[in-house]
Coordinates of all heavy atoms in Angstrom, one line a residue:
M37 N 0.8 -1.2 0.0 CA 0.0 0.0 0.0 C 0.9 1.3 0.0 O 0.6 2.2 -0.7 CB -0.9 0.0 1.2 CG -2.0 1.1 1.2 SD -3.1 0.9 -0.3 CE -3.4 2.6 -0.7
I38 N 1.9 1.3 0.8 CA 2.8 2.4 0.9 C 3.4 2.6 -0.5 O 3.5 3.7 -1.0 CB 3.9 2.3 1.9 CG1 3.3 2.5 3.3 CG2 5.0 3.3 1.7 CD1 4.2 2.3 4.5
R39 N 3.8 1.5 -1.1 CA 4.4 1.6 -2.4 C 3.5 2.2 -3.5 O 3.9 3.0 -4.3 CB 4.8 0.2 -2.9 CG 5.7 0.1 -4.1 CD 7.0 1.0 -3.8 NE 7.9 0.8 -4.9 CZ 9.0 1.6 -5.0 NH1 9.2 2.6 -4.1 NH2 9.8 1.4 -6.0
N40 N 2.2 1.8 -3.3 CA 1.2 2.4 -4.2 C 1.1 3.9 -4.1 O 1.0 4.6 -5.1 CB -0.2 1.8 -3.8 CG -0.8 1.1 -5.0 OD1 -0.7 1.6 -6.1 ND2 -1.5 0.0 -4.7
L41 N 1.1 4.4 -2.9 CA 1.1 5.9 -2.7 C 2.3 6.5 -3.2 O 2.3 7.6 -3.8 CB 0.9 6.2 -1.2 CG -0.5 5.8 -0.6 CD1 -0.5 5.9 0.9 CD2 -1.6 6.7 -1.2
E42 N 3.5 5.8 -2.9 CA 4.7 6.4 -3.4 C 4.8 6.5 -4.9 O 5.4 7.4 -5.5 CB 5.9 5.5 -2.9 CG 6.4 5.8 -1.5 CD 7.7 5.1 -1.2 OE1 8.2 4.4 -2.1 OE2 8.1 5.3 -0.1
L43 N 4.2 5.5 -5.6 CA 4.2 5.5 -7.0 C 3.5 6.7 -7.6 O 4.0 7.3 -8.6 CB 3.6 4.2 -7.6 CG 4.4 3.0 -7.5 CD1 3.6 1.7 -7.9 CD2 5.7 3.1 -8.3
A44 N 2.5 7.2 -6.9 CA 1.8 8.4 -7.4 C 2.8 9.6 -7.2 O 2.9 10.5 -8.1 CB 0.5 8.6 -6.6
F45 N 3.5 9.7 -6.1 CA 4.5 10.7 -5.9 C 5.6 10.7 -7.0 O 6.0 11.7 -7.5 CB 5.1 10.6 -4.5 CG 4.2 11.1 -3.4 CD1 2.8 11.2 -3.5 CD2 4.7 11.5 -2.2 CE1 2.0 11.7 -2.5 CE2 3.9 12.0 -1.1 CZ 2.6 12.0 -1.3
I46 N 6.0 9.5 -7.2 CA 7.1 9.3 -8.2 C 6.6 9.8 -9.6 O 7.3 10.5 -10.3 CB 7.5 7.8 -8.3 CG1 8.3 7.4 -7.1 CG2 8.2 7.4 -9.6 CD1 8.6 6.0 -6.8
K47 N 5.4 9.5 -10.0 CA 4.8 10.0 -11.2 C 4.8 11.5 -11.3 O 5.0 12.1 -12.3 CB 3.5 9.4 -11.5 CG 3.5 7.9 -11.9 CD 2.1 7.3 -12.0 CE 2.2 5.8 -12.0 NZ 0.8 5.2 -11.8
L48 N 4.4 12.1 -10.2 CA 4.4 13.6 -10.1 C 5.8 14.1 -10.3 O 6.0 15.1 -10.9 CB 3.8 14.0 -8.8 CG 2.3 13.8 -8.6 CD1 1.8 14.0 -7.2 CD2 1.6 14.7 -9.6
H49 N 6.8 13.5 -9.6 CA 8.2 13.9 -9.8 C 8.6 13.9 -11.3 O 9.2 14.8 -11.8 CB 9.1 13.0 -9.0 CG 9.5 13.5 -7.7 ND1 10.4 14.5 -7.5 CD2 9.1 13.2 -6.4 CE1 10.5 14.8 -6.2 NE2 9.7 14.0 -5.5
I50 N 8.2 12.8 -11.9 CA 8.6 12.6 -13.3 C 8.0 13.7 -14.1 O 8.6 14.3 -14.9 CB 8.1 11.2 -13.8 CG1 8.9 10.1 -13.1 CG2 8.2 11.1 -15.3 CD1 8.4 8.7 -13.4
L51 N 6.7 14.0 -13.9 CA 6.0 15.1 -14.7 C 6.7 16.4 -14.4 O 7.0 17.2 -15.3 CB 4.5 15.2 -14.3 CG 3.6 14.2 -15.0 CD1 2.1 14.5 -14.4 CD2 3.6 14.3 -16.5
Y52 N 7.0 16.7 -13.1 CA 7.6 17.9 -12.8 C 8.9 18.1 -13.5 O 9.2 19.2 -14.1 CB 7.8 18.0 -11.2 CG 8.6 19.1 -10.8 CD1 8.1 20.4 -10.8 CD2 10.0 19.0 -10.4 CE1 8.9 21.5 -10.4 CE2 10.7 20.0 -10.0 CZ 10.2 21.3 -10.0 OH 11.0 22.4 -9.7
H53 N 9.8 17.1 -13.4 CA 11.1 17.2 -14.0 C 11.0 17.2 -15.6 O 11.8 17.9 -16.2 CB 12.0 16.1 -13.5 CG 12.5 16.3 -12.1 ND1 13.4 17.3 -11.8 CD2 12.1 15.8 -11.0 CE1 13.6 17.3 -10.5 NE2 12.8 16.5 -10.0
A54 N 10.1 16.5 -16.1 CA 10.0 16.5 -17.6 C 9.5 17.8 -18.1 O 9.7 18.2 -19.2 CB 9.0 15.4 -18.0
N55 N 8.9 18.6 -17.2 CA 8.4 19.9 -17.5 C 9.5 20.9 -17.5 O 9.4 21.9 -18.2 CB 7.3 20.3 -16.5 CG 6.5 21.6 -17.0 OD1 6.2 21.7 -18.2 ND2 6.3 22.5 -16.1
I56 N 10.6 20.6 -16.8 CA 11.7 21.5 -16.7 C 12.7 21.2 -17.9 O 13.2 22.1 -18.5 CB 12.4 21.4 -15.4 CG1 11.5 21.9 -14.3 CG2 13.7 22.2 -15.4 CD1 12.0 21.6 -12.9
E57 N 13.0 20.0 -18.1 CA 13.9 19.6 -19.1 C 13.7 18.1 -19.5 O 12.9 17.4 -18.9 CB 15.4 19.7 -18.6 CG 15.6 18.8 -17.3 CD 16.9 19.1 -16.6 OE1 17.7 19.9 -17.1 OE2 17.1 18.5 -15.5
E58 N 14.3 17.7 -20.6 CA 14.1 16.3 -21.0 C 14.7 15.4 -19.9 O 15.7 15.7 -19.3 CB 14.6 16.0 -22.4 CG 16.1 16.2 -22.5 CD 16.7 15.8 -23.9 OE1 15.8 15.7 -24.8 OE2 17.9 15.7 -24.0
I59 N 14.1 14.3 -19.8 CA 14.6 13.3 -18.8 C 14.9 12.0 -19.4 O 14.4 11.7 -20.5 CB 13.6 13.1 -17.6 CG1 12.2 12.6 -18.2 CG2 13.3 14.4 -16.8 CD1 11.3 12.0 -17.1
F60 N 15.7 11.2 -18.7 CA 15.9 9.8 -19.2 C 16.0 8.9 -17.9 O 16.2 9.4 -16.8 CB 17.2 9.7 -20.0 CG 18.4 10.2 -19.3 CD1 19.3 9.3 -18.7 CD2 18.8 11.5 -19.3 CE1 20.4 9.7 -18.0 CE2 19.9 12.0 -18.7 CZ 20.7 11.1 -18.0
G61 N 15.8 7.6 -18.1 CA 15.7 6.7 -17.0 C 16.7 6.8 -15.9 O 16.3 7.0 -14.8
V62 N 17.9 6.6 -16.3 CA 19.0 6.6 -15.2 C 19.0 7.9 -14.4 O 19.1 7.9 -13.2 CB 20.4 6.3 -15.8 CG1 21.4 6.3 -14.7 CG2 20.4 4.9 -16.5
G63 N 19.0 9.0 -15.2 CA 19.0 10.3 -14.5 C 17.8 10.5 -13.5 O 18.0 11.0 -12.5
M64 N 16.7 10.0 -14.0 CA 15.5 10.1 -13.1 C 15.6 9.2 -11.9 O 15.2 9.6 -10.8 CB 14.3 9.7 -14.0 CG 12.9 10.3 -13.5 SD 12.9 12.1 -13.4 CE 12.2 12.3 -11.8
M65 N 16.2 8.1 -12.1 CA 16.4 7.2 -10.9 C 17.3 7.8 -9.9 O 17.0 7.8 -8.7 CB 17.1 5.9 -11.4 CG 16.1 4.7 -11.6 SD 16.9 3.2 -12.0 CE 17.2 3.4 -13.7
E66 N 18.3 8.5 -10.3 CA 19.2 9.2 -9.4 C 18.5 10.4 -8.7 O 18.6 10.6 -7.5 CB 20.4 9.8 -10.1 CG 21.4 8.7 -10.6 CD 22.5 9.2 -11.5 OE1 22.5 10.4 -11.8 OE2 23.3 8.3 -12.0
E67 N 17.7 11.1 -9.5 CA 16.9 12.2 -8.9 C 15.9 11.7 -7.8 O 15.8 12.2 -6.7 CB 16.2 12.9 -10.0 CG 15.2 13.9 -9.6 CD 15.7 15.1 -8.8 OE1 16.9 15.3 -8.8 OE2 14.9 15.8 -8.1
L68 N 15.3 10.6 -8.1 CA 14.3 10.0 -7.2 C 15.0 9.5 -5.9 O 14.5 9.7 -4.8 CB 13.5 8.9 -7.9 CG 12.5 9.5 -8.9 CD1 12.0 8.3 -9.8 CD2 11.3 10.1 -8.1
E69 N 16.2 8.9 -6.1 CA 17.0 8.4 -5.0 C 17.3 9.6 -4.0 O 17.2 9.4 -2.8 CB 18.3 7.8 -5.6 CG 19.1 7.1 -4.5 CD 18.7 5.7 -4.2 OE1 18.6 4.9 -5.2 OE2 18.5 5.4 -3.1
R70 N 17.6 10.7 -4.6 CA 18.0 11.9 -3.9 C 16.8 12.3 -3.0 O 16.9 12.9 -1.9 CB 18.3 13.0 -4.9 CG 19.0 14.2 -4.4 CD 19.5 15.1 -5.6 NE 18.3 15.8 -6.2 CZ 17.8 16.9 -5.7 NH1 18.3 17.5 -4.6 NH2 16.8 17.5 -6.3
H71 N 15.6 12.0 -3.5 CA 14.4 12.4 -2.7 C 13.9 11.3 -1.8 O 12.8 11.3 -1.2 CB 13.2 12.7 -3.7 CG 13.4 14.1 -4.3 ND1 13.3 15.3 -3.7 CD2 13.6 14.4 -5.6 CE1 13.5 16.3 -4.5 NE2 13.7 15.7 -5.7
G72 N 14.7 10.2 -1.7 CA 14.3 9.1 -0.8 C 13.5 8.0 -1.4 O 13.0 7.1 -0.7
Y73 N 13.4 8.0 -2.7 CA 12.7 6.9 -3.4 C 13.6 6.0 -4.1 O 14.4 6.4 -5.0 CB 11.7 7.4 -4.4 CG 10.7 8.4 -3.9 CD1 10.8 9.7 -4.1 CD2 9.5 7.9 -3.3 CE1 9.9 10.6 -3.6 CE2 8.6 8.8 -2.8 CZ 8.8 10.2 -3.0 OH 7.8 11.1 -2.5
T74 N 13.7 4.7 -3.6 CA 14.5 3.8 -4.3 C 13.7 3.0 -5.3 O 12.7 2.4 -5.0 CB 15.1 2.7 -3.3 OG1 15.8 3.5 -2.3 CG2 16.1 1.8 -3.9
I75 N 14.1 3.2 -6.6 CA 13.3 2.6 -7.7 C 14.3 2.1 -8.7 O 15.2 2.7 -9.1 CB 12.3 3.7 -8.3 CG1 11.4 3.0 -9.3 CG2 13.0 4.9 -8.8 CD1 10.2 3.9 -9.7
G76 N 14.1 0.8 -9.1 CA 14.9 0.2 -10.1 C 14.4 0.4 -11.5 O 13.2 0.8 -11.6
P77 N 15.2 0.0 -12.5 CA 14.8 0.1 -13.8 C 13.5 -0.7 -14.2 O 12.7 -0.3 -14.9 CB 16.0 -0.3 -14.7 CG 16.9 -1.0 -13.7 CD 16.6 -0.4 -12.3
G78 N 13.4 -1.9 -13.5 CA 12.3 -2.8 -13.7 C 11.0 -2.1 -13.3 O 9.9 -2.6 -13.8
T79 N 11.0 -1.1 -12.4 CA 9.8 -0.4 -12.0 C 9.7 0.9 -12.8 O 8.6 1.2 -13.3 CB 9.8 -0.1 -10.5 OG1 10.1 -1.3 -9.8 CG2 8.5 0.5 -10.1
L80 N 10.8 1.6 -12.9 CA 10.7 2.9 -13.5 C 10.4 2.9 -15.0 O 9.5 3.6 -15.5 CB 12.0 3.7 -13.3 CG 12.0 5.1 -13.9 CD1 11.0 6.0 -13.2 CD2 13.4 5.8 -13.8
Y81 N 11.1 2.0 -15.8 CA 10.9 2.0 -17.2 C 9.4 1.7 -17.6 O 8.9 2.4 -18.5 CB 11.9 1.1 -17.9 CG 13.3 1.6 -17.8 CD1 14.4 0.7 -18.0 CD2 13.5 2.9 -17.6 CE1 15.7 1.2 -17.9 CE2 14.8 3.4 -17.6 CZ 15.9 2.6 -17.7 OH 17.2 3.1 -17.6
P82 N 8.8 0.7 -17.0 CA 7.3 0.5 -17.3 C 6.5 1.7 -17.0 O 5.5 2.0 -17.7 CB 6.9 -0.7 -16.4 CG 8.2 -1.4 -16.2 CD 9.3 -0.3 -16.1
I83 N 6.8 2.5 -15.9 CA 6.1 3.7 -15.6 C 6.2 4.7 -16.7 O 5.2 5.3 -17.2 CB 6.6 4.3 -14.2 CG1 6.2 3.4 -13.1 CG2 6.0 5.7 -14.0 CD1 6.7 3.8 -11.7
L84 N 7.5 4.9 -17.1 CA 7.7 5.9 -18.2 C 7.0 5.5 -19.5 O 6.3 6.3 -20.2 CB 9.2 6.0 -18.5 CG 10.1 6.7 -17.4 CD1 11.5 6.5 -17.7 CD2 9.7 8.1 -17.3
A85 N 7.0 4.2 -19.8 CA 6.3 3.6 -21.0 C 4.8 3.9 -20.8 O 4.1 4.3 -21.8 CB 6.6 2.2 -21.2
K86 N 4.3 3.6 -19.6 CA 2.8 3.8 -19.4 C 2.5 5.3 -19.6 O 1.4 5.6 -20.1 CB 2.5 3.3 -18.0 CG 1.2 2.4 -18.0 CD 0.9 2.0 -16.6 CE 1.2 0.5 -16.4 NZ 0.9 0.1 -15.0
M87 N 3.3 6.2 -19.0 CA 3.0 7.6 -19.1 C 3.1 8.1 -20.6 O 2.4 9.0 -21.0 CB 4.0 8.4 -18.2 CG 3.7 8.2 -16.8 SD 4.9 9.0 -15.7 CE 4.4 10.7 -15.8
E88 N 4.0 7.4 -21.3 CA 4.1 7.8 -22.8 C 2.8 7.3 -23.5 O 2.2 8.0 -24.3 CB 5.3 7.1 -23.4 CG 5.5 7.5 -24.8 CD 6.5 6.6 -25.6 OE1 7.0 5.7 -25.0 OE2 6.6 6.8 -26.8
K89 N 2.4 6.1 -23.2 CA 1.2 5.5 -23.8 C 0.0 6.4 -23.4 O -0.9 6.5 -24.2 CB 1.0 4.1 -23.3 CG 0.4 3.2 -24.3 CD 0.4 1.7 -23.9 CE -0.6 1.0 -24.8 NZ -1.0 -0.3 -24.1
G90 N 0.0 6.9 -22.2 CA -1.1 7.8 -21.8 C -1.0 9.2 -22.3 O -1.7 10.1 -21.9
R91 N 0.0 9.4 -23.1 CA 0.3 10.7 -23.8 C 0.6 11.8 -22.8 O 0.4 13.0 -23.1 CB -0.9 11.1 -24.7 CG -1.4 10.1 -25.7 CD -1.5 10.6 -27.1 NE -2.0 9.6 -28.0 CZ -1.2 8.7 -28.6 NH1 0.1 8.6 -28.3 NH2 -1.8 7.8 -29.5
L92 N 1.2 11.5 -21.7 CA 1.6 12.5 -20.7 C 3.1 12.9 -21.1 O 3.5 14.0 -20.8 CB 1.6 12.0 -19.3 CG 0.2 11.6 -18.8 CD1 0.3 11.1 -17.3 CD2 -0.8 12.8 -18.8
L93 N 3.8 11.9 -21.7 CA 5.2 12.1 -22.1 C 5.3 11.7 -23.5 O 4.6 10.8 -24.0 CB 6.1 11.3 -21.2 CG 6.2 11.5 -19.7 CD1 7.1 10.4 -19.1 CD2 6.7 12.9 -19.4
S94 N 6.2 12.3 -24.2 CA 6.6 11.9 -25.5 C 8.0 11.4 -25.5 O 8.8 11.8 -24.6 CB 6.4 12.9 -26.6 OG 7.3 14.0 -26.3
C95 N 8.4 10.4 -26.3 CA 9.7 9.8 -26.2 C 10.4 9.9 -27.5 O 9.9 9.9 -28.6 CB 9.4 8.3 -25.9 SG 11.0 7.4 -25.8
E96 N 11.7 10.1 -27.3 CA 12.6 10.3 -28.5 C 13.9 9.4 -28.2 O 14.5 9.7 -27.2 CB 12.9 11.7 -28.6 CG 13.9 12.1 -29.7 CD 14.5 13.5 -29.5 OE1 14.0 14.2 -28.7 OE2 15.5 13.7 -30.1
A97 N 14.2 8.5 -29.0 CA 15.4 7.7 -28.8 C 16.5 8.3 -29.5 O 16.4 8.7 -30.7 CB 15.1 6.3 -29.4
R98 N 17.6 8.5 -28.8 CA 18.8 9.0 -29.4 C 20.0 8.2 -29.0 O 20.0 7.5 -28.0 CB 19.1 10.4 -28.9 CG 18.1 11.5 -29.5 CD 18.8 12.9 -29.5 NE 19.3 13.3 -28.2 CZ 18.5 14.0 -27.4 NH1 17.3 14.3 -27.6 NH2 19.0 14.4 -26.2
T99 N 21.1 8.2 -29.9 CA 22.3 7.4 -29.6 C 23.3 8.3 -28.9 O 23.7 9.3 -29.5 CB 22.8 6.7 -30.8 OG1 21.7 6.0 -31.5 CG2 23.9 5.8 -30.5
V100 N 23.7 8.0 -27.7 CA 24.7 8.7 -27.0 C 25.8 7.8 -26.6 O 25.6 6.8 -26.0 CB 24.2 9.4 -25.7 CG1 25.2 10.2 -25.0 CG2 23.0 10.3 -26.1
N101 N 27.1 8.1 -27.0 CA 28.2 7.2 -26.8 C 27.9 5.7 -27.3 O 28.1 4.8 -26.5 CB 28.6 7.1 -25.3 CG 29.1 8.5 -24.9 OD1 29.7 9.3 -25.6 ND2 28.9 8.8 -23.6
R102 N 27.3 5.6 -28.4 CA 27.0 4.4 -29.0 C 25.9 3.6 -28.3 O 25.6 2.4 -28.5 CB 28.2 3.4 -29.2 CG 29.3 4.1 -30.0 CD 30.4 3.1 -30.2 NE 31.4 3.7 -31.1 CZ 32.2 3.0 -31.9 NH1 32.1 1.6 -31.9 NH2 33.1 3.5 -32.7
K103 N 25.3 4.3 -27.3 CA 24.2 3.6 -26.6 C 22.9 4.3 -26.9 O 22.8 5.5 -26.9 CB 24.4 3.8 -25.1 CG 25.2 2.6 -24.5 CD 25.1 2.8 -23.0 CE 25.6 1.6 -22.2 NZ 25.6 1.9 -20.8
Q104 N 21.9 3.5 -27.2 CA 20.6 4.0 -27.4 C 20.0 4.5 -26.1 O 20.0 3.7 -25.2 CB 19.8 2.9 -28.1 CG 18.4 3.3 -28.4 CD 18.2 3.8 -29.9 OE1 18.9 4.7 -30.3 NE2 17.4 3.1 -30.6
R105 N 19.5 5.7 -26.1 CA 18.9 6.2 -24.8 C 17.5 6.8 -25.2 O 17.4 7.5 -26.2 CB 19.8 7.1 -24.2 CG 19.4 7.6 -22.8 CD 20.4 8.5 -22.2 NE 21.3 7.7 -21.2 CZ 22.3 8.3 -20.6 NH1 22.5 9.6 -20.7 NH2 23.0 7.6 -19.7
K106 N 16.6 6.6 -24.3 CA 15.2 7.2 -24.5 C 15.1 8.4 -23.7 O 15.3 8.4 -22.5 CB 14.1 6.2 -24.2 CG 13.9 5.1 -25.2 CD 12.8 4.2 -24.7 CE 12.3 3.3 -25.9 NZ 11.2 2.4 -25.4
Y107 N 14.8 9.5 -24.4 CA 14.6 10.8 -23.7 C 13.1 11.1 -23.7 O 12.4 10.8 -24.7 CB 15.3 11.9 -24.4 CG 16.8 11.8 -24.2 CD1 17.6 11.1 -25.2 CD2 17.4 12.4 -23.1 CE1 19.0 11.0 -25.0 CE2 18.8 12.3 -23.0 CZ 19.6 11.6 -23.9 OH 20.9 11.4 -23.7
Y108 N 12.6 11.6 -22.6 CA 11.2 11.9 -22.5 C 11.0 13.4 -22.3 O 11.7 14.1 -21.6 CB 10.6 11.1 -21.3 CG 10.6 9.7 -21.5 CD1 11.6 8.9 -21.1 CD2 9.5 9.0 -22.1 CE1 11.6 7.5 -21.3 CE2 9.4 7.7 -22.3 CZ 10.5 6.9 -21.9 OH 10.5 5.5 -22.1
H109 N 9.9 13.9 -23.0 CA 9.5 15.3 -22.8 C 8.0 15.3 -22.4 O 7.3 14.4 -22.7 CB 9.6 16.0 -24.2 CG 10.9 15.9 -24.8 ND1 11.3 14.9 -25.6 CD2 12.0 16.8 -24.6 CE1 12.6 15.2 -26.0 NE2 13.0 16.3 -25.4
I110 N 7.7 16.3 -21.7 CA 6.3 16.4 -21.3 C 5.4 16.8 -22.5 O 5.9 17.6 -23.3 CB 6.1 17.4 -20.1 CG1 4.8 17.2 -19.4 CG2 6.2 18.9 -20.6 CD1 4.7 17.8 -18.0
T111 N 4.2 16.4 -22.6 CA 3.3 16.8 -23.6 C 2.4 17.9 -23.1 O 2.4 18.2 -21.9 CB 2.4 15.6 -24.1 OG1 1.6 15.2 -23.0 CG2 3.2 14.4 -24.6
V112 N 1.6 18.5 -24.0 CA 0.7 19.5 -23.6 C -0.3 18.9 -22.5 O -0.6 19.5 -21.5 CB -0.1 20.1 -24.8 CG1 -1.2 21.0 -24.3 CG2 0.9 20.8 -25.7
A113 N -0.8 17.7 -22.8 CA -1.7 17.0 -21.9 C -1.0 16.8 -20.6 O -1.6 16.9 -19.5 CB -2.2 15.7 -22.5
G114 N 0.3 16.4 -20.6 CA 1.0 16.1 -19.4 C 1.2 17.4 -18.6 O 1.1 17.4 -17.3
G115 N 1.4 18.5 -19.3 CA 1.5 19.8 -18.6 C 0.2 20.2 -17.9 O 0.2 20.7 -16.8
S116 N -1.0 19.9 -18.5 CA -2.3 20.2 -17.9 C -2.5 19.3 -16.7 O -3.0 19.8 -15.6 CB -3.4 19.9 -18.9 OG -3.2 20.5 -20.1
V117 N -2.1 18.1 -16.8 CA -2.2 17.2 -15.6 C -1.3 17.7 -14.5 O -1.8 17.7 -13.3 CB -1.8 15.7 -16.0 CG1 -1.7 14.8 -14.7 CG2 -2.9 15.1 -16.9
L118 N -0.1 18.1 -14.8 CA 0.8 18.6 -13.8 C 0.1 19.8 -13.1 O 0.1 19.9 -11.8 CB 2.1 19.0 -14.4 CG 3.2 19.6 -13.4 CD1 3.5 18.6 -12.3 CD2 4.4 20.0 -14.2
N119 N -0.4 20.7 -13.8 CA -1.0 21.9 -13.3 C -2.2 21.6 -12.4 O -2.4 22.1 -11.3 CB -1.5 22.9 -14.4 CG -0.4 23.9 -14.7 OD1 0.4 24.2 -13.8 ND2 -0.4 24.3 -15.9
E120 N -3.0 20.7 -12.9 CA -4.2 20.2 -12.1 C -3.7 19.6 -10.8 O -4.3 19.9 -9.7 CB -5.0 19.2 -12.9 CG -6.4 19.0 -12.5 CD -7.1 18.0 -13.4 OE1 -7.0 18.2 -14.6 OE2 -7.6 17.0 -12.9
M121 N -2.7 18.8 -10.8 CA -2.2 18.1 -9.6 C -1.6 19.1 -8.7 O -1.6 18.9 -7.4 CB -1.2 17.0 -10.0 CG -1.8 15.8 -10.7 SD -3.3 15.2 -10.0 CE -2.7 14.6 -8.4
K122 N -1.0 20.2 -9.2 CA -0.4 21.2 -8.3 C -1.5 21.7 -7.3 O -1.2 21.9 -6.1 CB 0.2 22.3 -9.1 CG 1.6 22.1 -9.6 CD 2.1 23.3 -10.3 CE 3.4 23.0 -11.0 NZ 3.9 24.1 -11.9
H123 N -2.7 22.0 -7.8 CA -3.7 22.4 -7.0 C -4.1 21.4 -5.9 O -4.3 21.7 -4.8 CB -5.0 22.8 -7.8 CG -4.8 24.0 -8.7 ND1 -4.6 25.2 -8.2 CD2 -4.6 24.1 -10.0 CE1 -4.4 26.1 -9.2 NE2 -4.4 25.4 -10.3
K124 N -4.1 20.2 -6.4 CA -4.5 19.1 -5.4 C -3.4 18.9 -4.4 O -3.7 18.6 -3.2 CB -4.8 17.8 -6.2 CG -6.0 18.0 -7.0 CD -6.5 16.7 -7.7 CE -7.9 17.0 -8.3 NZ -8.3 16.1 -9.3
I125 N -2.2 19.0 -4.8 CA -1.0 18.9 -3.8 C -1.1 20.0 -2.8 O -1.0 19.8 -1.6 CB 0.3 18.9 -4.6 CG1 0.5 17.7 -5.5 CG2 1.5 19.1 -3.6 CD1 1.6 17.8 -6.5
M126 N -1.4 21.2 -3.3 CA -1.5 22.3 -2.3 C -2.7 22.1 -1.3 O -2.5 22.4 -0.2 CB -1.7 23.6 -3.2 CG -1.8 24.9 -2.3 SD -0.3 25.1 -1.3 CE 0.7 26.0 -2.4
E127 N -3.8 21.6 -1.9 CA -4.9 21.4 -1.0 C -4.6 20.3 0.0 O -4.9 20.5 1.2 CB -6.1 20.9 -2.0 CG -7.4 20.9 -1.4 CD -7.9 22.2 -0.9 OE1 -7.5 23.2 -1.5 OE2 -8.5 22.3 0.2
L128 N -4.0 19.3 -0.4 CA -3.6 18.2 0.5 C -2.6 18.7 1.5 O -2.7 18.4 2.7 CB -3.0 17.0 -0.3 CG -2.6 15.8 0.4 CD1 -3.9 15.1 1.0 CD2 -1.9 14.8 -0.5
Y129 N -1.6 19.5 1.1 CA -0.6 20.0 1.9 C -1.2 20.9 3.0 O -0.9 20.8 4.2 CB 0.4 20.9 1.1 CG 1.4 21.6 1.9 CD1 2.5 21.0 2.4 CD2 1.3 23.0 2.1 CE1 3.4 21.7 3.2 CE2 2.2 23.7 2.8 CZ 3.3 23.0 3.4 OH 4.2 23.7 4.1
K130 N -2.2 21.7 2.6 CA -2.8 22.6 3.6 C -3.6 21.8 4.6 O -3.6 22.1 5.8 CB -3.8 23.6 2.9 CG -3.1 24.7 2.2 CD -4.1 25.8 1.9 CE -4.6 25.7 0.5 NZ -5.5 26.7 0.0
E131 N -4.2 20.7 4.2 CA -5.0 19.9 5.1 C -4.1 19.1 6.0 O -4.3 19.1 7.3 CB -5.9 19.0 4.3 CG -6.5 17.9 5.2 CD -8.0 17.9 5.3 OE1 -8.6 18.2 4.2 OE2 -8.6 17.7 6.3
I132 N -3.2 18.4 5.5 CA -2.5 17.4 6.4 C -1.2 18.0 7.0 O -0.7 17.4 8.0 CB -2.2 16.0 5.7 CG1 -1.2 16.1 4.6 CG2 -3.5 15.5 5.2 CD1 -0.9 14.8 4.0
I133 N -0.6 19.0 6.4 CA 0.6 19.6 7.0 C 0.3 20.9 7.8 O 0.7 21.0 8.9 CB 1.7 19.8 5.9 CG1 2.0 18.6 5.1 CG2 3.0 20.4 6.6 CD1 2.6 17.4 5.9
V134 N -0.3 21.8 7.1 CA -0.6 23.1 7.8 C -1.8 23.0 8.7 O -1.9 23.8 9.7 CB -0.9 24.2 6.7 CG1 -1.0 25.6 7.3 CG2 0.3 24.2 5.7
K135 N -2.7 22.1 8.4 CA -3.9 21.8 9.2 C -4.8 23.0 9.4 O -5.1 23.5 10.5 CB -3.5 21.3 10.6 CG -2.8 20.0 10.6 CD -2.4 19.6 12.1 CE -1.3 18.6 12.1 NZ -1.5 17.4 11.4
Q136 N -5.2 23.6 8.2 CA -6.2 24.7 8.3 C -7.2 24.5 7.2 O -7.0 23.8 6.2 CB -5.5 26.0 8.2 CG -4.8 26.2 6.9 CD -4.1 27.6 6.8 OE1 -3.9 28.2 7.8 NE2 -3.8 28.1 5.6
Ligands
ZN210 ZN1 12.6 15.8 -8.0

């Protein structure tokens, strides 16, 4: 159950970072680790794929140092979801942290 809730936070992190700059799997894993989420490629890559399929992210494969790497960008729809969620995060924050 905790993992389930964490996955929602992880997806929000992904949207947030993809909105700032293009992201890729390994970089995102490091960023999430920094925030206290341990997530392996076996979990993260399917999430990215699902978010792409849901048209929240778009994917572009590029070859860097002879390695194929998938870069993700936020889509217009992804940006709207992020904005909508910001309001909900603020609402939740006010209720359970600020308590007003
Ligand atoms: Zn972050």
